[in-house]
Amino acid sequence: MANWINGAINSGYTVVNGTLSGTANSKVACWVEYRVISQSIPNNTSTIRLYAYIAAAQNTSKYWTYWNNHSGDSRGMFKIYAAGTLVYERANRGFATSNIPTPSDFTTQYETAYANAEDKKYLTVLTDNASTRAAAYGEFTIAHNSDGTRQFTLSFNGDFSIASSFGTASGSITIQLPTIPRSTVPSVSSITLGSAATISISPASSSFRHTFRAQFGSRAQTTIASLTSATSITWTPSLAEANAAPNATSVGGTLYCDTYSGSTLLGTAAVSISAAIPASVVPTLSYSIADAISGIASKYGAYIQGSSKLAVTLTPSGAYGSTISSVTTTVNGSTYTTNSFTTSELQSSGNQTMRVVVKDSRNRTATYTISYAVLAYSAPRLSNVSIYRCDSRGAASHTGAYMSVTLTGQITSLNNLNSAAFTVGHKLKTASSYTVTTLGTSGYSVSGTFIVGGNLSNQSAYDVRIGAADDFSTTYTYADISTAETILSIRNNGLGMAIGKVCEANKFEVGWQSQFHEDVQFDGDVTFASLAWLLDVIFPIGSIRMTTSTAGAATFLGGTWVQWGSGRVPVGVNTSDSNFNTIEKTGGANTVALTTAQLPAHGHTVSGSVSIGNEASHTHRGSTGAYKVGSGSGSSYYYMTNNGSTNGQTTGAGSSHTHSASFSGSAGNTGSGAAHSNLQPYITCYFWKRTA
């Protein structure tokens, strides 16, 4: 065939010329244009794009021919081969040539129908497989040798014979493809930071050497191995790489493999990797605890029940880049969410624990249990107290100047470091202060009788106060002793009278126990010298008193009281419920984060319809002459015409219509998993518990 000498139709493409047998040799030209459009280093392949054309020959001023059919390898056929493998075969029909085209002046079947090709500078695109000329190309991918090189033969064959007046077309070219740098793509086993992982490679050549590098997030790259010929590498990524993912339990990164042939870098393969941050990477905690009450630690070297308060300072730290999202401390029956706090008085003795839960930005928690010891303490106790007038020997005498004091007392020793004192105080009824005598005792308990006084007037009655005191509190028991007994005593001013005692005031006094057998009416106020008896009736030891006053309950009726139940709601003991089966058992929490299992079973669905807009009435053009089927006279081929006309016709118009579609699916997840308030409606007050 005549060579195509006008250059490639497509910029950057190379022309593959050939020969044409038969009479067409001087009339038409047929050629292929190709270009390497991409190469894949990982796949070691090149992708080649090609166009095939037929046009009037260069030495012909005008030539017109038209073929409208093909069958297999016979007339109308056109095929392209790469390295002997078929990579393109023409499926459409029709060839047309006319005046000689040029690369800048031509028309094709995409701009001008075959039937209108006469007198046009017509160039037929044989790779006619698309709706536009630019897209009408063939494309194939060919593998390179293991070293990245590749040479192959690109050839084409066509059959343009018609009634033996034309012949066949063929052409070929040997193509040397650009060598592909051979980068090896590694594979890696599952990765956990701080643990060994295995990197495996299958290099294209055993002579290749590799350097492996890894990078997590924006952190600096680390070199795993340099210029190694091994095909399996053991790699332990540092826990420090977790700094690249402060809010996740895995960290993404890239594994790089540099492939060398000798000293030449063939290429670098980058593989995305993900490394698990091990469960051992959790937030940490340092802390300090001290007694918030001055002087206790220096004397006792321990915490004291009912008096000591813990001053707690927590210093939580994230692990490898994480930040702290919450700190929750449970101690002494209360919960705190700050890093520094002071507890109320310690309520329990013995070995106690403080539980601290630290959560970080990875939603990981670490629980720390901090132990501390509390010395048991009870307020001083007095019992079996009795008092009467006596002489110096202790013999009972209603005129005696002494008093006999019998008592049993107990003070908590606190490892023999507590102070202890048992006292007896007496004062005239009208006096404001007591004369105090310290009983000669040793140790922390007493049980006996003591003779106190010597100057008590038998003409006066006395208030008596027995005390037991230590470093933390004093317990008192009150009594009195009467004057000397007499049946009747009239005050010397005549304004007072007493029965059973000496009259001491301008009042009617009774010194003996009295019993009234009829109703008694009081028209004035009734006062009591001591309410200790009332305290034991209303609030026996162990009772709880509620008040809005900040003052201790001891200022109300006496006794020893401690603040109780801070930040908690009382619940009655229920021995059949393990939550409430013992006295003063604590539990519950201010906030609760629900688990997935605690949510009600539910789903999210969405459904609807989509309406596609109307398309106006329109027509469709049919292929040229595709309306009547007939047979050629004296031959076996078939033809299709529109009653002899080759002008384009249209199909019938469709009416305006719509299209509808429906969809269904699941909605996405929502929610953050944050804790919610677990508090019931409440109002606060003070609780005081009587301990002595």
Side-chain angles (χ1 to χ4, degrees):
M1 84 177 229
N3 290 331
W4 176 254
I5 62 173
N6 291 330
I9 300 298
N10 299 283
S11 178
Y13 281 68
T14 300
V15 173
V16 182
N17 270 309
T19 60
L20 187 71
S21 66
T23 60
N25 182 48
S26 61
K27 299 177 180 179
V28 296
C30 180
W31 74 100
V32 171
E33 297 179 5
Y34 79 90
R35 181 169 69 90
V36 178
I37 62 168
S38 66
Q39 289 186 310
S40 171
I41 292 176
N43 296 328
N44 196 27
T45 58
S46 292
T47 298
I48 297 171
R49 183 172 295 174
L50 47 80
Y51 292 85
Y53 300 102
I54 187 172
Q58 294 89 332
N59 59 352
T60 303
S61 60
K62 178 179 178 181
Y63 186 75
W64 163 249
T65 185
Y66 172 73
W67 301 289
N68 64 357
N69 66 333
H70 73 282
S71 176
D73 291 331
S74 60
R75 186 173 55 238
M77 171 273 292
F78 187 82
K79 297 179 180 181
I80 303 174
Y81 298 85
T85 299
L86 180 67
V87 294
Y88 181 81
E89 180 176 9
R90 177 177 171 81
N92 293 336
R93 298 169 182 265
F95 304 114
T97 62
S98 188
N99 289 331
I100 301 171
T102 68
S104 60
D105 183 15
F106 64 88
T107 187
T108 72
Q109 68 265 38
Y110 290 94
E111 294 85 14
T112 303
Y114 288 130
N116 300 323
E118 190 170 5
D119 296 324
K120 299 289 194 305
K121 292 184 177 182
Y122 203 87
L123 181 151
T124 300
V125 182
L126 298 182
T127 44
D128 185 10
N129 58 349
S131 59
T132 66
R133 176 167 55 84
Y137 55 78
E139 200 167 276
F140 64 93
T141 298
I142 190 164
H144 284 235
N145 301 319
S146 62
D147 61 358
T149 63
R150 183 60 197 267
Q151 178 178 291
F152 72 98
T153 298
L154 180 66
S155 61
F156 63 88
N157 290 307
D159 187 345
F160 309 131
S161 60
I162 176 171
S164 301
S165 61
F166 281 77
T168 60
S170 64
S172 67
I173 192 173
T174 298
I175 298 175
Q176 179 69 52
L177 293 174
T179 299
I180 297 177
R182 295 305 304 120
S183 60
T184 303
V185 180
S187 63
V188 61
S189 63
S190 60
I191 306 172
T192 299
L193 298 183
S195 299
T198 301
I199 302 172
S200 300
I201 58 172
S202 297
S205 172
S206 60
S207 65
F208 287 177
R209 293 186 299 167
H210 302 88
T211 293
F212 295 96
R213 297 171 286 118
Q215 182 176 26
F216 290 94
S218 60
R219 288 175 54 80
Q221 289 187 10
T222 58
T223 299
I224 302 168
S226 297
L227 297 175
T228 178
S229 58
T231 58
S232 180
I233 304 294
T234 298
W235 168 44
T236 301
S238 170
L239 285 173
E241 304 293 359
N243 285 287
N247 303 318
T249 56
S250 63
V251 56
T254 303
L255 176 64
Y256 298 97
C257 177
D258 302 322
T259 302
Y260 289 85
S261 177
S263 60
T264 301
L265 176 64
L266 299 182
T268 298
V271 176
S272 296
I273 55 176
S274 177
I277 300 174
S280 59
V281 176
V282 295
T284 58
L285 177 73
S286 61
Y287 63 89
S288 66
I289 57 175
D291 202 322
I293 305 303
S294 177
I296 292 180
S298 60
K299 180 173 182 178
Y300 296 96
Y303 303 112
I304 307 301
Q305 181 184 12
S307 294
S308 292
K309 297 181 180 181
L310 296 182
V312 180
T313 301
L314 305 174
T315 306
S317 300
Y320 295 105
S322 71
T323 56
I324 300 302
S325 58
S326 68
V327 180
T328 304
T329 305
T330 303
V331 60
N332 197 39
S334 297
T335 299
Y336 304 88
T337 57
T338 59
N339 290 355
S340 180
F341 58 88
T342 298
T343 69
S344 59
E345 291 85 355
L346 300 180
Q347 302 299 310
S348 301
S349 62
N351 293 323
Q352 302 295 314
T353 58
M354 175 168 61
R355 184 174 182 268
V356 184
V357 179
V358 184
K359 180 184 286 187
D360 68 4
S361 53
R362 292 190 178 99
N363 204 32
R364 285 183 170 173
T365 59
T367 301
Y368 293 85
T369 300
I370 302 169
S371 299
Y372 61 95
V374 181
L375 291 180
Y377 172 79
S378 296
R381 297 182 295 277
L382 290 170
S383 61
N384 302 323
V385 177
S386 64
I387 303 172
Y388 58 87
R389 277 184 183 270
C390 66
D391 58 20
S392 60
R393 296 171 300 166
S397 171
H398 69 91
T399 60
Y402 295 86
M403 57 181 164
S404 174
V405 181
T406 300
L407 75 155
T408 299
Q410 182 70 42
I411 290 175
T412 306
S413 70
L414 300 179
N415 293 334
N416 297 320
L417 295 172
N418 199 4
S419 62
F422 296 95
T423 61
V424 176
H426 66 278
K427 72 177 182 64
L428 292 173
K429 293 286 186 179
T430 56
S432 59
S433 60
Y434 288 90
T435 299
V436 178
T437 300
T438 299
L439 302 181
T441 62
S442 61
Y444 294 95
S445 63
V446 63
S447 180
T449 300
F450 301 86
I451 306 302
V452 180
N455 59 352
L456 301 179
S457 170
N458 61 18
Q459 298 298 303
S460 300
Y462 293 87
D463 289 330
V464 181
R465 185 179 70 182
I466 297 89
D470 63 8
D471 285 339
F472 301 96
S473 62
T474 300
T475 298
Y476 292 109
T477 294
Y478 297 87
D480 58 16
I481 56 173
S482 183
T483 64
E485 293 185 14
T486 180
I487 295 175
L488 179 66
S489 171
I490 298 176
R491 191 168 173 80
N492 56 10
N493 63 4
L495 298 178
M497 182 179 71
I499 297 175
K501 67 181 291 292
V502 175
C503 184
E504 298 177 274
N506 296 337
K507 298 177 181 180
F508 173 64
E509 300 176 87
V510 178
W512 290 333
Q513 292 185 359
S514 303
Q515 182 175 348
F516 298 90
H517 294 281
E518 297 296 337
D519 295 340
V520 178
Q521 178 176 330
F522 299 93
D523 293 326
D525 293 335
V526 178
T527 59
F528 298 91
S530 172
L531 293 177
W533 61 275
L534 185 61
L535 173 65
D536 291 333
V537 170
I538 301 176
F539 292 110
I541 293 174
S543 298
I544 305 297
R545 176 174 175 254
M546 293 189 299
T547 179
T548 58
S549 172
T550 58
T555 62
F556 171 58
L557 287 175
T560 301
W561 301 76
V562 294
Q563 194 170 345
W564 179 84
S566 298
R568 294 190 173 274
V569 177
V571 177
V573 172
N574 182 355
T575 57
S576 62
D577 188 334
S578 61
N579 292 305
F580 315 116
N581 58 356
T582 59
I583 192 66
E584 295 188 296
K585 187 173 185 178
T586 59
N590 291 342
T591 59
V592 172
L594 294 178
T595 65
T596 301
Q598 291 170 326
L599 294 174
H602 65 285
H604 304 274
T605 59
V606 60
S607 62
S609 63
V610 176
S611 179
I612 301 174
N614 291 342
E615 177 68 31
S617 179
H618 58 280
T619 63
H620 301 273
R621 179 174 295 279
S623 298
T624 300
Y627 301 104
K628 181 179 180 181
V629 177
S631 59
S633 175
S635 72
S636 61
Y637 68 86
Y638 293 89
Y639 65 90
M640 303 177 70
T641 69
N642 183 17
N643 290 325
S645 171
T646 59
N647 293 328
Q649 300 296 318
T650 62
T651 64
S655 62
S656 177
H657 57 281
T658 62
H659 304 272
S660 64
S662 64
F663 68 91
S664 63
S666 296
N669 294 333
T670 187
S672 64
H676 70 275
S677 174
N678 199 36
L679 297 178
Q680 61 184 339
Y682 60 84
I683 187 170
T684 60
C685 66
Y686 293 101
F687 289 99
W688 295 92
K689 175 184 175 183
R690 185 182 175 197
T691 59

